[in-house]
Amino acid sequence: MSFVSKCTADVILRAAKALKDGHLVTFPTETVYGLGADASSSEAVARIYAVKGRPADHPLIVHIASMHDMDKWAINIPEYAIKLAREFWPGPMTLVLKRSELAKDFITGGQDTVGVRVPNHPIALALLEEFQKLGGHGVAAPSANRFGAVSPTTAEAVHDELSDYLGDEDLILDGGNSQVGVESTIIDCTGANPSVLRFGAITEEMIKVASELSLMGSALKNEIRVSGALESHYAPKAIVSLDVIPKAGEGYIAMNHLISPAGVIRLASPSTTEEFAHVLYSSFREADRAGISRIVVQQPVGPGLAEAIRDRLRKASAANNFH
Ligand code: TXA
Ligand code: MG
């Protein structure tokens, strides 16, 4: 495995070729880092599952260079999905659409839908464009963490998570800190109205305005297999407790107007919800590195991105039951 910290045009070309040859390339996006493979190759995609340690029937998001590539992967695309794509791509949004012939069972987990996204990061976009020039159609990429663990928001975190599992020809591309810090909003676009499957930085309010439609009741509890919808997920090694008072020696994440009780290890003091999302996963990792046994988080209030953060926190704290 090579770790590349300066992603020049040459490096991007080498990475695109590696993908085309069936190797894995982890790359930065604005949400979290992705573990990429050629989405048309069952062998390459099988390696994603092996490296992640993820059950093979979980669907993967196909990353494409532009919304114009949507109809390669999807059919019967509703007008509102086009509006959402125009408004929010490149950006932290995944659209779930009826799959085309190209989206095989090894991508969709056997479902008749496919998730597609145009990420908003210069390195990701350059890689996707170069891959396309080489004849590629799309890059399947889950978050670049082991199954159930916290998504990486830096290349170093990717290295810590996956270096033991990646092969000689695989690459880790460094593109700095992921700006958003939580995974994309997933929107089911197979019904008459959009429906949110996973909360993220594209909020329900933004979706309503851009689609000019009301949202179908949250489908978070429905039958669709969204691995992020499993109760225990996004979890650090430390126990995560919500909205309690931390004790000395414990980690603490809270908005900056909240003071730390004596002896508490302050992991983050964000001043906005955006900053909260941006620092959350790296704070979890910092706590694990420091060997902290419990992280207390004072949850952010309000709608939108705060809701996405609370969703991830609920799942991180649900993992306590398994400790
Ligand atoms: O921000 C993100 O979305 C990141 C970056 C790398 O793009 N990717 C990511 O992938 O979070 P992953 O695999 O960790 O989470 C994707 C979620 C999974 O929970 C999966 O079940 C769901 O998307 N998903 C993918 N295709 C789907 C489909 N056809 N129907 C329903 N859910 C789907
Ligand atoms: Mg993930």
Side-chain angles (χ1 to χ4, degrees), residues 64-293:
I64 51 178
S66 129
M67 67 173 283
H68 304 296
D69 304 326
M70 249 170 129
D71 57 6
K72 281 190 190 168
W73 290 95
I75 55 169
N76 303 342
I77 301 170
E79 189 56 38
Y80 71 79
I82 307 277
K83 286 184 188 165
L84 292 172
R86 274 209 195 100
E87 188 68 28
F88 300 122
W89 276 349
M93 175 183 77
T94 296
L95 299 181
V96 170
L97 299 158
K98 272 260 171 293
R99 69 167 162 180
S100 72
E101 288 276 296
L102 198 55
K104 305 288 190 224
D105 284 352
F106 59 80
I107 288 295
T108 70
Q111 303 178 85
D112 64 352
T113 58
V114 63
V116 287
R117 168 163 121 83
V118 181
N120 188 17
H121 190 290
I123 292 174
L125 287 170
L127 177 65
L128 292 168
E129 277 159 24
E130 205 58 55
F131 181 65
Q132 197 169 38
K133 283 190 205 150
L134 298 176
H137 298 300
V139 174
S143 50
N145 50 281
R146 297 278 291 167
F147 185 62
V150 176
S151 299
T153 55
T154 64
E156 291 74 24
V158 174
H159 186 269
D160 291 350
E161 281 273 325
L162 300 182
S163 58
D164 289 349
Y165 305 94
L166 291 170
D168 289 348
E169 307 290 318
D170 300 334
L171 286 165
I172 298 177
L173 303 184
D174 186 355
N177 292 317
S178 295
Q179 190 213 324
V180 175
V182 294
E183 303 79 359
S184 62
T185 304
I186 302 181
I187 308 169
D188 182 354
C189 298
T190 59
N193 293 57
S195 161
V196 174
L197 298 177
R198 180 174 73 185
F199 294 116
I202 302 299
T203 65
E204 294 192 301
E205 197 48 44
M206 292 160 77
I207 298 166
K208 271 185 214 158
V209 171
S211 68
E212 301 175 89
L213 289 171
S214 60
L215 300 193
M216 272 203 302
S218 163
L220 290 169
K221 291 190 173 58
N222 78 3
E223 296 296 299
I224 298 182
R225 265 173 279 149
V226 184
S227 67
L230 294 177
E231 274 308 310
S232 159
H233 223 74
Y234 310 108
K237 293 190 188 75
I239 286 174
V240 176
S241 301
L242 306 179
D243 304 330
V244 298
I245 296 168
K247 300 193 189 75
E250 294 182 339
Y252 190 40
I253 301 171
M255 296 294 284
N256 68 351
H257 64 272
L258 298 167
I259 55 158
S260 301
V264 162
I265 302 155
R266 189 63 172 247
L267 296 165
S269 308
S271 52
T272 61
T273 310
E274 284 71 25
E275 195 186 337
F276 204 121
H278 179 71
V279 300
L280 180 63
Y281 291 160
S282 55
S283 303
F284 280 176
R285 284 180 190 280
E286 187 189 326
D288 282 349
R289 266 198 309 275
I292 291 172
S293 59

Side-chain angles (χ1 to χ4, degrees), residues 26-48:
T26 67
F27 59 94
T29 85
E30 81 283 30
T31 57
V32 300
Y33 274 70
L35 171 62
D38 180 350
S40 312
S41 160
S42 63
E43 292 85 5
V45 169
R47 289 211 45 230
I48 289 183

